[in-house]
Amino acid sequence: MPTRRFDAPGDPALSDLHGDLAERDLQPLWELSGLLTPTPRARAVPYRWRGKELRELGGRAGDLVPVDRGGNRRVLSLSNPELGGGPYASAPLWGALQYLGPREAAPAHRHTPAALRFVLEGEGVWTMVNGDPLRMAAGDLVLTPSWTWHEHHSPGDAPMTWFDALDLPLVEALEAVFFEPGPEPAAQSADPARSASERRFGAGPGLLPGKRPTRPTAHSPLLRHRWADTDRALASQFTVPDAETSATGHAHVRFADPTSGRDVMPTMRCEMHRYMPGHSAPALRCTGSSLTAVFHGAGFVVLDGTRYDIAPGDLIAVPSWTSVTVVAEESLDLFTVSDAPVLEALSLYREEAATDSVEITPAR
Ligand code: GTQ
Ligand code: FE2
């Protein structure tokens, strides 16, 4: 936020002018600072929510709060401590832990903010997206693009939690939020064994249906990426003979629209990273913010010089222009979601090696 200083001690005429400007809702630029900063100044801070605590608190919410309270979703939103008490993980991104108990359902609705789920543990839930039932199991990525109907069902005996990410703060800033509750009652059953979108667009590597809709959609037509496929893609990068991956100990894949190669949704980029113990990579920073969900392994991240130990289930906010280093102590699998497609579309994406760091201090 720019800071302002509109008094002009010792110059009554200028003081009067500043007063008259303020009365007419005008501000003199010559009195404003912090507006055009040399580099991006994120209001949000780097932050880590611990998986262990999220699991415990999610379970207590499951015991106490019926799913039909407050938007029909039992969700704990990540609230970045520097965003003025708002429920946002970073300026453009919503992140949350969602908890669905045994035999519960979260009924259908749709909204213009796009959403995705990355499943941290468990299986048995399915999400219906525009009539297509998608199975959710650990490591799966499930998309609910802008304005698609979605509802979650848990037919099993065990509760399930997953990580939600939405571009809600971004869409809110653009003043383009619409929401509509779905028709009651929600669907009772469907066969999520393999969804229509998976059958058509996830049938095999490089294989697309010969007959395709004439109008391409703004988002990927493949609404679920299964962990077995993601895992295989990461593992195979380590076995390509001349690959950089083997030298650096870091493999990553980007989840893409199979028909275009573009990001799965217009506003969010999803990636899965695998870091091997002993891998080395320079600290990097980029414009735009990201959220990370720790899926497997152990190690730490260094964010602007502060060290955060990480364990499965941890969720991490990385605001714009934060320098990031990842260190694996055991093979680490990290899911990341960022607003990079937006920055790229607007020609605002930049990245650089962060050479100015730093003494590492442990996190609070
Ligand atoms: O599951 O539909 O974390 O609508 C926030 C808003 C999840 C959902 C969130 C939502 C949902
Ligand atoms: Fe939703």
Side-chain angles (χ1 to χ4, degrees):
M1 265 306 203
T3 54
R4 16 193 294 183
R5 180 179 57 89
F6 296 147
D7 56 327
D11 189 340
L14 190 55
S15 254
D16 279 357
L17 172 62
H18 287 172
D20 292 348
L21 289 171
E23 250 171 53
R24 288 165 185 78
D25 302 301
L26 296 164
Q27 295 191 10
L29 179 59
W30 61 86
E31 295 294 311
L32 296 171
S33 59
L35 210 48
L36 289 163
T37 56
T39 55
R41 294 286 142 81
R43 268 204 305 147
V45 287
Y47 204 74
R48 174 212 46 210
W49 292 264
R50 291 183 191 275
K52 200 164 158 271
E53 295 172 357
L54 290 168
R55 272 190 291 274
E56 197 259 326
L57 294 164
R60 278 165 62 192
D63 292 340
L64 290 172
V65 185
V67 73
D68 53 8
R69 283 259 300 267
N72 285 321
R73 300 292 189 265
R74 192 188 291 104
V75 158
L76 305 178
S77 88
L78 307 179
S79 171
N80 194 293
E82 292 300 321
L83 288 180
Y88 298 154
S90 72
L93 294 175
W94 166 283
L97 185 83
Q98 183 158 168
Y99 180 100
L100 197 60
R103 287 170 297 283
E104 279 186 329
H109 67 202
R110 62 177 176 173
H111 34 72
T112 48
L116 61 86
R117 341 260 157 214
F118 180 78
V119 183
L120 291 162
E121 275 179 90
E123 59 178 354
V125 166
W126 53 275
T127 284
M128 182 89 100
V129 181
N130 278 352
D132 195 14
L134 307 162
R135 200 203 288 268
M136 292 173 69
D140 289 353
L141 171 65
V142 169
L143 310 178
T144 56
S146 178
W147 209 236
T148 54
W149 294 106
H150 54 283
E151 60 190 75
H152 315 306
H153 292 265
S154 178
D157 293 325
M160 209 172 128
T161 57
W162 61 85
F163 166 61
D164 285 325
L166 283 83
D167 57 8
L168 170 57
L170 175 69
V171 178
E172 192 200 33
L174 297 171
E175 301 177 338
V177 173
F178 292 83
F179 175 90
E180 192 181 346
E184 304 269 2
Q188 282 315 303
S189 68
D191 178 13
R194 207 168 160 80
S195 74
S197 103
E198 281 180 82
R199 282 173 204 270
R200 303 190 65 221
F201 293 98
L207 296 171
L208 292 173
K211 283 188 190 140
R212 279 195 267 155
T214 43
R215 224 162 12 98
T217 43
H219 58 79
S220 174
L222 178 60
L223 297 174
R224 173 181 173 227
H225 294 264
R226 289 180 291 174
W227 172 246
D229 296 328
T230 308
D231 184 41
R232 192 180 324 104
L234 288 167
S236 66
Q237 284 197 13
F238 285 100
T239 61
V240 179
D242 56 350
E244 203 190 315
T245 303
S246 316
T248 60
H250 173 211
H252 68 288
V253 289
R254 181 187 297 189
F255 295 94
D257 178 337
T259 67
S260 68
R262 293 203 304 250
D263 288 293
V264 288
M265 297 191 286
T267 53
M268 289 187 281
R269 172 164 301 164
C270 300
E271 295 174 333
M272 196 80 204
H273 294 254
R274 177 165 293 167
Y275 298 87
M276 289 302 174
H279 93 93
S280 68
L284 287 176
R285 57 163 54 102
C286 65
T287 51
S289 72
S290 64
L291 307 178
T292 294
V294 181
F295 186 44
H296 293 135
F300 59 89
V301 291
V302 182
L303 305 174
D304 273 348
T306 301
R307 170 181 165 147
Y308 299 84
D309 290 307
I310 53 175
D314 287 1
L315 302 176
I316 301 160
V318 181
S320 187
W321 217 239
T322 303
S323 83
V324 182
T325 312
V326 178
V327 177
E329 289 165 339
E330 291 164 20
S331 169
L332 256 186
D333 289 337
L334 305 182
F335 172 78
T336 66
V337 51
S338 77
D339 56 358
V342 179
L343 280 288
E344 285 183 354
L346 303 178
S347 294
L348 295 171
Y349 186 79
R350 290 197 199 191
E351 62 181 19
E352 66 176 35
T355 48
D356 57 0
S357 61
V358 271
E359 236 169 80
I360 298 173
T361 57
R364 291 143 289 158

